[in-house]
């Protein structure tokens, strides 16, 4: 089995197996399921959870465990060595409510992996790293197909100045599922050192917000992209910049109204 730079996805329940299968497919990972699921879902099967967790910990760059966090804590107890060498560990509940960066957040890439899982499942990404918790702005973005990196960077920079905020205070850039393969958007997020999240279509159907309609209604079946993305991805949001168009890129910025924000 070629495990170099691969992601292992492990589940132990029936609901968890279905979600793990979806995650594994999207990330081109290797799925591990208990022997009892043999023949029902294509996977690598195991008998002892402790043994497969150790194998994955020693051989994979990332582990996504679809099970209770307490179980994962017990499974990796004694395996942890260094944040510079340990794999990224992300935990998801079996119904896809949360994806949690558990181990090797920065150095191992668990924080980034958490957002990737969130983009697949629609789960709330949970990042507890102190440096991330202090970033309180979420940028929602809509763009044309094939937009280049520099155009996106310039649009975010321009709109950040309009909102009177620093780019360094942006926690995450958010767009819709339809943009998940836009290279310019992905590269811009990397250049700006921001996490990138894509929201599934069903999340936009939220009647708590009176979103204004745009051309997205015709092409994507949702009212709009930038403002809903910013508001839906932020915690207790306040819109500090309404949708603003710069060189064909639409930007909206939300501030998270937090206790120590």
């Amino acid at each position: 089995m070629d495990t170099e730079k691969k992601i292992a996805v492990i589940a132990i329940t029936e609901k968890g197996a279905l979600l793990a299968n979806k995650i594994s497919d999207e990330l081109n990972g290797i799925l591990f399921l208990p022997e009892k699921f043999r023949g029902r879902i294509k996977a690598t099967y195991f008998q002892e959870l402790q043994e497969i967790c150790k194998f994955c910990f020693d051989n994979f760059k990332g582990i996504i465990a679809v099970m209770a966090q307490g179980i994962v804590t017990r499974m990796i107890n004694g395996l942890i060595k260094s944040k510079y060498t340990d794999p990224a560990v992300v935990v998801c509940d079996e119904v896809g409510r949360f994806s949690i960066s558990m181990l090797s957040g920065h150095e191992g890439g668990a924080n980034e992996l958490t957002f990737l899982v969130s983009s697949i499942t629609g789960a709330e990404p949970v990042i507890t790293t102190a440096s991330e918790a202090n970033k309180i702005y979420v940028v929602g973005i809509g763009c044309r197909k094939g937009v280049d990196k520099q155009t996106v960077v310039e649009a975010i920079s321009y709109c950040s100045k309009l909102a009177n905020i620093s780019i360094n205070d942006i926690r995450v850039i958010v767009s819709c599922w339809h943009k998940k393969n836009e290279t310019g958007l992905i590269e811009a997020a990397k250049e700006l050192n921001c996490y990138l999240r894509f929201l599934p279509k069903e999340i936009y159907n939220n009647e708590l917000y009176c979103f204004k309609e745009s051309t997205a209604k015709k092409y994507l079946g949702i009212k709009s992209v930038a403002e809903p993305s910013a508001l839906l991805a932020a915690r207790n949001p306040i819109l500090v910049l309404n949708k603003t168009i710069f060189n064909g890129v639409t930007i909206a910025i939300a501030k998270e109204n937090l206790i120590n924000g």
Side-chain angles (χ1 to χ4, degrees), residues 72-85:
V72 183
T73 300
R74 290 191 291 273
M75 291 301 102
I76 66 174
N77 182 36
L79 301 177
I80 300 172
K81 297 173 184 175
S82 168
K83 64 181 180 179
Y84 299 108
T85 59

Side-chain angles (χ1 to χ4, degrees), residues 3-20:
T3 62
E4 185 180 0
K5 296 185 178 180
K6 283 282 190 177
I7 301 297
V9 187
I10 312 171
I12 56 176
T13 66
E14 186 171 359
K15 283 186 178 179
L18 295 174
L19 185 63

Side-chain angles (χ1 to χ4, degrees), residues 72 92 194 202 246:
V72 183
C92 305
C194 294
E202 58 268 18
F246 180 89

Side-chain angles (χ1 to χ4, degrees), residues 74-247:
R74 290 191 291 273
M75 291 301 102
I76 66 174
N77 182 36
L79 301 177
I80 300 172
K81 297 173 184 175
S82 168
K83 64 181 180 179
Y84 299 108
T85 59
D86 292 336
V89 179
V90 174
V91 179
C92 305
D93 59 291
E94 64 178 24
V95 296
R97 185 174 287 116
F98 299 106
S99 60
I100 305 168
S101 176
M102 183 175 177
L103 184 70
S104 299
H106 276 304
E107 287 77 6
N111 291 355
E112 183 178 359
L113 186 58
T114 294
F115 277 98
L116 285 175
V117 173
S118 171
S119 295
I120 296 167
T121 66
E124 180 70 24
V126 180
I127 309 292
T128 57
T129 315
S131 58
E132 308 304 328
N134 291 324
K135 296 183 177 183
I136 58 173
Y137 293 96
V138 176
V139 172
I141 184 167
C143 59
R144 65 182 181 274
K145 184 177 180 180
V147 67
D148 63 274
K149 178 190 72 172
Q150 193 57 37
T151 300
V152 176
V153 170
E154 290 174 357
I156 293 175
S157 299
Y158 172 78
C159 289
S160 295
K161 291 177 182 178
L162 288 183
N164 196 29
I165 69 169
S166 168
I167 288 180
N168 293 329
D169 292 329
I170 297 172
R171 182 171 66 85
V172 59
I173 296 169
V174 188
S175 193
C176 69
W177 76 99
H178 192 67
K179 300 298 179 182
K180 68 178 183 178
N181 295 319
E182 284 293 340
T183 303
L185 187 53
I186 295 168
E187 291 179 348
K190 289 180 180 178
E191 180 168 315
L192 296 174
N193 196 30
C194 294
Y195 293 117
L196 183 59
R197 183 182 180 191
F198 298 99
L199 299 179
K201 185 174 183 177
E202 58 268 18
I203 290 183
Y204 290 89
N205 297 321
N206 190 322
E207 296 304 323
L208 293 175
Y209 296 98
C210 297
F211 298 133
K212 298 176 182 177
E213 288 192 8
S214 69
T215 54
K217 182 68 175 177
K218 177 181 178 181
Y219 295 106
L220 300 175
I222 58 177
K223 289 184 178 179
S224 56
V225 175
E227 286 187 6
S229 295
L231 291 169
L232 291 168
R235 181 71 174 174
N236 195 18
I238 300 170
L239 198 62
V240 296
L241 182 73
N242 295 89
K243 77 169 187 176
T244 301
I245 301 175
F246 180 89
N247 283 352

